[in-house]
Amino acid sequence: MPGMRDVEVRSRASEALILLVILAVSLPLITGYSLLILSGFSKSMVTNLDPSSFYPTLMNWILLLQGRTAQFAGIRVNIWGIVANTLVVALGVSALVTLVGSLTGYAVSRMNFAGRKHIMMLLILLHAFPGSVLVVGVAFIYRMFMPPLEYIRFYSFFYVIVARAAIEIPMATWLMKGFFDMIPWEIEWSAIVDGASRFRVWWNVLLPMIKPGVAAVMLFGFLAGWMDLIYVRTFLVDRTLATFIEANAEAEYAYLPLVAVAGTLYLLPTIIFFIAAQRLIFTISVSGIKG
Amino acid sequence: MVSVKLVNVTKVFRGGVVGVKDINLVIEHGEFMALLGPSGSGKSTTLYLIAGIYKPTRGRIFFGDKDVTKLPPRERNVGLVFQNWALYPHMKVFDNIAFPLRLRKIPESEIRKRVVSVARMLRIDGLLDRYPWQLSGGQQQRVAMARALAKEPDVLLLDEPMSNLDAVLRISVRAELKRLQRELGITTIYVTHDQAEALAMADRIALINEGSIVQIGTPSEVYGKPRTVFVGGFLGNPPMNFLEATVGYVEDKPILVIGNNKLRVPDHYEELVRKLGLNQVIVGIRPEDMGIMDKPVPYRTIRAQVYAVEPMGRETIVVAEVDGSQVKIVTSKSIVLREDQDIHLYPSFEKIVLFDPKTEKALEVLYEEEKLE
Ligand SMILES: Nc1ncnc2c1ncn2[C@@H]1O[C@H](COP(=O)(O)OP(=O)(O)O)[C@@H](O)[C@H]1O
Ligand SMILES: [Mg+2]
C-alpha cells in the first residue's frame, strides 16, 4: 500500500534477510510454475532448468484451442465446452457459497437464537473435514434420486455444485460473520426504525457496506469450483479442465506440452486472483464508516 | 403528535444485567424532555425501549392512549438519531434522507419534495449529492436529524446526538435544535450525559441513575431543589457543595455543627430536623449561593481556608477547605485572596438543602416518604 507506515522496529538488514528467506522458500514453487508455463510455449517439456530443451512455439496453444488432446492422435475434444463446464461449476459454486454464506453469516453475527454458539463451533468442525469424507454420503444420495437418463447431465452438475459449495460454506460463513460484526448495530437499528424488514436491512443496507467482503467470498467460491477435482471426477458426466488435465496426464499417448498449456489455463484464475487480491485484501474493511 | 407514557418499565438483559428498573415517565404532547444521567445509567436503554428496539421485561409503554409495548419499531413512527448518527455510508445524503420514505412506498416526486424541504430546514440542501464520508461531523449530524424528521415522526428520539461534535459547535447547535423543536412542536426525548445541555434545552429533565429515575422536573426545579445528593452533585458546574454536619441543640433550637463552626438551621428545615430526629445531616450549598466575608458572623458563617483561586474571566471560582473537605464558591466580584488565607463563608440560608446521610435523600423527601408508610 502506498503511503502505509509501519512501526519502525526492524532494521534494514534484517528486513533484507527476511525477504531472502521468503524468496528461498518459495523458489521451488516459482520454478515449478515457470517451467510449466514455459513448457506450454515449447515443443518439448522444459525440464531441469535446461535452456536447450526450450524450442519456442505457439503450436500447443493452437492445438489446444482446436481441441486436440495429442499432436498426432487427431482426437478432437471441444476445449471450449470444457472451459464452459468449468465455468458453470465455478460460477455455480461461487453464487451458492456467496448467497448461503452471506445469509448464514448475517444470522450468526446478528441474530440471537438458541444454539447459535453450537452452530458456530460446528461450522469450524465442518471446515476441518476433508472433502473426500463427504463424497461417500453424497454418492449415496446421488444414487438414491437418479433422474431419467436425459436429465442426468443437469443432475450431475447440481450435485457437483451443491457438494463443493457445502465444503466451502462453513469458511464463507465465518468470513461473512467477521464482516457483519464490523458494522455498528446502530446502522441496523436505524434501518429497522426507518421501516426496513430484516431482509431489506441485509440486502439494501448491510451487504452494500461490505462489498469487498462479498467479492472475496465470491472469488474464493469461484476458485474452489474451478479447481475442484474430487466431485467433478465422481459425479460430473462432463469434463472440466481439472479432469481433462488429469485424463491427459495419465493417458499413454499424452503429449505433455499440451497438458502444460491446459495447466496454464487452469492456473490462470488463481494467478489473476492473487495479483488482484493484493489490492483487494488490503482494502477489505467496512468501507466508508467515519470514526 | 402524541404523548409518551412509560409505566413500571423494567428491562433485564440476557445474562441478568439490569438496564432500567421500574421506570415511570410521562412525556407530554409536544414536550422537550431531557433524559440526563451518567454513562451506563440506562438512558439509551430507555430510549431504545420507546423506539421498540428493545422490548421491556416488565411494564407497558403508551403513545397517547395506544399501547405500543408489543409493536415493532416500524409501526411506532418514531424518528431516532444515534450518537454516531448511523448514516448509511454507501448512500448519498439524498438517499439517506429518502430511505425511510422509499420504504413507505411514497411516490418519488413527493419524496423529492419532502427531502428538499427538510434539507432546507436543516441547511444541508447543498449537500444532497455527497456521501456521508465527505461531510464534517456537524453536517453528518444534520443529515441524521433530517433523516429522522423526513418521515414526520410522532416522537423524536435523540441519543446524545451532539456528543461527537466539538464544544463550540455543540453550543450553537444547541440553540438551533431547541428552536427547531419549538417550531415543529414535536414530542422529543433527548438523551444526554451533559447537564448543561439538558438545562439549556429541555422543558423538563428526568434524571436517571443506575437504571432508576431519581427526579423529574423543570430545569430550575431539579437544579434548585435536588431530591438526592446525586442530583445535586450531578447538576451544575461546579456542582453543589456537600458538608457533613452534626445536629446539636442550643436553647432547644436545632443547630448544625460543621467542625468548629456552628450554623443555624435554615427556617424551612427547622421543623423537619426536629421531627425526623436526625443526628447527622449533609448540608448542600450551591457554589453561587455563598458569599465570602473576612469577619465571622455567629451562627451564619463557616470558617474556611483558601486552597486555590481560579479566575475564569466572567466569574472567579474560589476553592476553599472547610474542616478538611473542599468547597467551591463562585463569585462575580474580583476579590484578592491569598492561598491559605482565612475566610468566612456566608451561605444564603433559604437556598440550603439538607440531606439524610444514610439514604442520601433530601429531608423533605424523606419526610414525605415516612408519612406515606
Ligand atoms: N444489549 C445489552 N446487553 C447487555 N447489557 C446491556 C445492553 N445494553 C446496555 N446494557 C447495560 O445496561 C446498562 C445501561 O446501559 P445504557 O442504557 O447503554 O446506558 P447509557 O446510555 O446511560 O450510557 C449498562 O450497565 C450496560 O452495560
Ligand atoms: Mg448511551
Side-chain angles (χ1 to χ4, degrees):
Chain A
M1 270 178 113
M4 196 175 101
R5 275 178 231 175
D6 194 0
V7 186
E8 291 176 352
V9 283
R10 286 177 306 221
S11 67
R12 287 257 153 223
S14 68
E15 221 162 89
L17 192 74
I18 289 170
L19 260 171
L20 219 67
V21 171
I22 292 173
L23 214 68
V25 172
S26 47
L27 205 60
L29 275 173
I30 295 172
T31 323
Y33 287 135
S34 314
L35 287 182
L36 178 79
I37 294 167
L38 271 180
S39 300
F41 290 96
S42 167
K43 277 186 190 155
S44 67
M45 291 300 276
V46 184
T47 46
N48 303 330
L49 298 170
D50 177 7
S52 65
S53 64
F54 182 62
Y55 306 104
T57 173
L58 282 177
M59 205 52 210
N60 302 319
W61 283 93
I62 295 166
L63 281 173
L64 181 90
L65 299 186
Q66 284 174 350
R68 296 206 205 184
T69 45
Q71 197 175 20
F72 304 109
I75 308 165
R76 271 182 183 271
V77 181
N78 184 0
I79 189 78
W80 295 117
I82 289 175
V83 170
N85 291 339
T86 319
L87 271 174
V88 167
V89 173
L91 290 174
V93 172
S94 173
L96 196 60
V97 165
T98 310
L99 181 75
V100 178
S102 56
L103 277 170
T104 47
Y106 172 74
V108 172
S109 164
R110 289 304 168 103
M111 292 176 173
N112 219 333
F113 50 88
R116 176 172 161 273
K117 284 245 167 65
H118 300 280
I119 286 184
M120 275 155 53
M121 307 254 285
L122 192 70
L123 282 173
I124 297 185
L125 207 68
L126 278 178
H127 182 64
F129 271 91
S132 46
V133 174
L134 195 60
V135 168
V136 185
V138 176
F140 186 70
I141 303 170
Y142 183 84
R143 303 222 159 244
M144 249 164 56
F145 299 104
M146 282 285 226
L149 222 54
E150 58 266 39
Y151 298 122
I152 203 118
R153 286 183 67 193
F154 302 105
Y155 184 67
S156 70
F157 267 113
F158 175 80
Y159 265 78
V160 171
I161 290 170
V162 171
R164 185 69 237 181
I167 298 290
E168 303 302 322
I169 281 168
M171 181 68 183
T173 302
W174 266 92
L175 266 174
M176 293 309 295
K177 178 192 177 295
F179 290 117
F180 283 118
D181 284 349
M182 284 196 276
I183 300 176
W185 267 104
E186 283 87 350
I187 296 254
E188 180 156 2
W189 283 337
S190 200
I192 288 177
V193 170
D194 279 349
S197 63
R198 222 52 203 258
F199 178 80
R200 261 196 185 285
V201 173
W202 174 79
W203 178 253
N204 283 5
V205 177
L206 302 186
L207 273 192
M209 287 177 70
I210 51 169
K211 269 187 208 148
V214 177
V217 170
M218 271 175 155
L219 268 168
F220 285 127
F222 182 89
L223 288 181
W226 183 271
M227 305 216 269
D228 178 79
L229 183 63
I230 180 162
Y231 291 102
V232 170
R233 174 90 191 263
T234 317
F235 300 112
L236 201 64
V237 176
D238 301 271
R239 277 200 173 151
T240 66
L241 276 173
T243 39
F244 174 71
I245 293 166
E246 195 208 15
N248 274 284
E250 282 173 354
E252 271 174 41
Y253 51 81
Y255 172 55
L256 285 174
L258 194 64
V259 180
V261 166
T264 308
L265 206 59
Y266 178 65
L267 280 177
L268 213 57
T270 317
I271 293 167
I272 293 172
F273 170 61
F274 276 106
I275 292 168
Q278 301 213 337
R279 274 193 55 211
L280 184 73
I281 284 171
F282 278 123
T283 53
I284 286 182
S285 62
V286 180
S287 49
I289 291 175
K290 231 186 189 180
Chain B
M1 253 132 282
V2 298
S3 62
V4 175
K5 189 159 85 179
L6 284 80
V7 182
N8 300 326
V9 171
T10 296
K11 175 67 183 175
V12 182
F13 291 107
R14 237 171 268 247
V17 180
V18 179
V20 293
K21 47 178 181 271
D22 217 17
I23 298 261
N24 283 292
L25 184 63
V26 179
I27 301 107
E28 298 298 342
H29 171 119
E31 188 179 26
F32 193 136
M33 171 72 86
L35 210 52
L36 174 66
S39 167
S41 57
K43 306 181 296 293
S44 298
T45 304
T46 310
L47 208 67
Y48 297 165
L49 283 165
I50 296 170
I53 292 169
Y54 294 159
K55 295 283 178 296
T57 314
R58 278 186 295 281
R60 326 225 116 244
I61 299 169
F62 297 88
F63 283 9
D65 294 330
K66 191 166 147 208
D67 186 343
V68 297
T69 314
K70 296 219 161 65
L71 283 190
R74 72 172 122 161
E75 283 167 40
R76 299 192 185 198
N77 195 27
V78 298
L80 182 50
V81 175
F82 291 96
Q83 182 173 355
N84 62 7
W85 306 314
L87 298 177
Y88 311 127
H90 58 292
M91 293 183 200
K92 288 185 172 169
V93 169
F94 183 94
D95 300 309
N96 260 283
I97 302 174
F99 185 76
L101 304 178
R102 294 214 168 109
L103 290 172
R104 293 181 181 185
K105 309 261 186 308
I106 293 170
E108 197 63 31
S109 60
E110 167 72 16
I111 289 179
R112 173 154 288 277
K113 239 191 290 172
R114 274 220 231 167
V115 171
V116 169
S117 104
V118 74
R120 201 166 286 150
M121 186 167 74
L122 286 156
R123 292 190 279 111
I124 47 167
D125 41 330
L127 308 171
L128 292 176
D129 265 341
R130 299 214 198 151
Y131 284 99
W133 49 270
Q134 295 170 310
L135 305 178
S136 71
Q139 291 167 332
Q140 291 189 37
Q141 192 254 345
R142 279 163 195 278
V143 175
M145 281 293 296
R147 186 176 63 188
L149 289 172
K151 57 181 164 184
E152 296 171 357
D154 291 331
V155 181
L156 182 61
L157 305 172
L158 308 167
D159 191 358
E160 315 211 18
M162 304 212 278
S163 65
N164 286 356
L165 302 181
D166 63 69
V168 179
L169 191 58
R170 218 177 314 183
I171 288 173
S172 77
V173 174
R174 193 161 91 182
E176 204 178 333
L177 191 61
K178 181 171 182 169
R179 178 82 195 215
L180 186 72
Q181 193 272 339
R182 285 287 138 75
E183 276 165 15
L184 297 175
I186 186 170
T187 310
T188 302
I189 301 162
Y190 185 99
V191 160
T192 181
H193 67 267
D194 181 343
Q195 51 93 28
E197 235 166 56
L199 289 170
M201 297 166 79
D203 296 322
R204 283 196 303 154
I205 298 173
L207 271 119
I208 182 166
N209 189 30
E210 292 173 356
S212 297
I213 291 198
V214 205
Q215 186 168 1
I216 305 170
T218 63
S220 63
E221 275 169 10
V222 290
Y223 187 82
K225 301 227 173 318
R227 285 169 66 89
T228 68
V229 170
F230 165 80
V231 176
F234 197 74
L235 289 172
N237 182 27
M240 188 174 247
N241 294 304
F242 298 109
L243 291 168
E244 288 177 15
T246 326
V247 178
Y249 285 87
V250 172
E251 295 166 4
D252 210 29
K253 269 178 89 92
I255 55 155
L256 304 169
V257 185
I258 304 166
N260 295 325
N261 304 282
K262 290 197 178 89
L263 214 60
R264 74 185 184 85
V265 171
D267 295 339
H268 58 291
Y269 275 115
E270 231 187 88
E271 228 185 289
L272 272 176
V273 169
R274 221 190 284 271
K275 276 184 185 158
L276 288 164
L278 295 168
N279 297 323
Q280 300 275 330
V281 291
I282 294 174
V283 183
I285 315 169
R286 291 263 173 220
E288 65 274 20
D289 294 337
M290 265 194 287
I292 295 174
M293 312 184 80
D294 35 56
K295 296 237 166 48
V297 181
Y299 292 110
R300 285 181 188 275
T301 57
I302 309 161
R303 183 195 177 92
Q305 287 76 45
V306 176
Y307 182 80
V309 180
E310 302 170 347
M312 309 293 287
R314 183 181 30 199
E315 65 207 17
T316 300
I317 298 174
V318 178
V319 186
E321 276 187 342
V322 175
D323 192 31
S325 55
Q326 276 194 353
V327 296
K328 291 187 175 178
I329 306 106
V330 174
T331 154
S332 54
K333 280 178 246 142
S334 49
I335 37 170
V336 184
L337 290 170
R338 276 178 292 102
E339 277 160 25
D340 296 327
Q341 180 183 339
D342 273 346
I343 51 172
H344 301 275
L345 308 176
Y346 189 109
S348 319
F349 280 82
E350 73 282 3
K351 301 260 176 76
I352 285 179
V353 183
L354 295 184
F355 300 95
D356 166 37
K358 258 207 303 291
T359 56
E360 301 206 332
K361 286 174 181 162
L363 297 194
E364 58 269 32
V365 175
L366 195 67
Y367 183 67
E368 258 170 53
E369 285 177 0
E370 280 194 2
K371 224 167 44 180
L372 280 179
E373 272 165 21

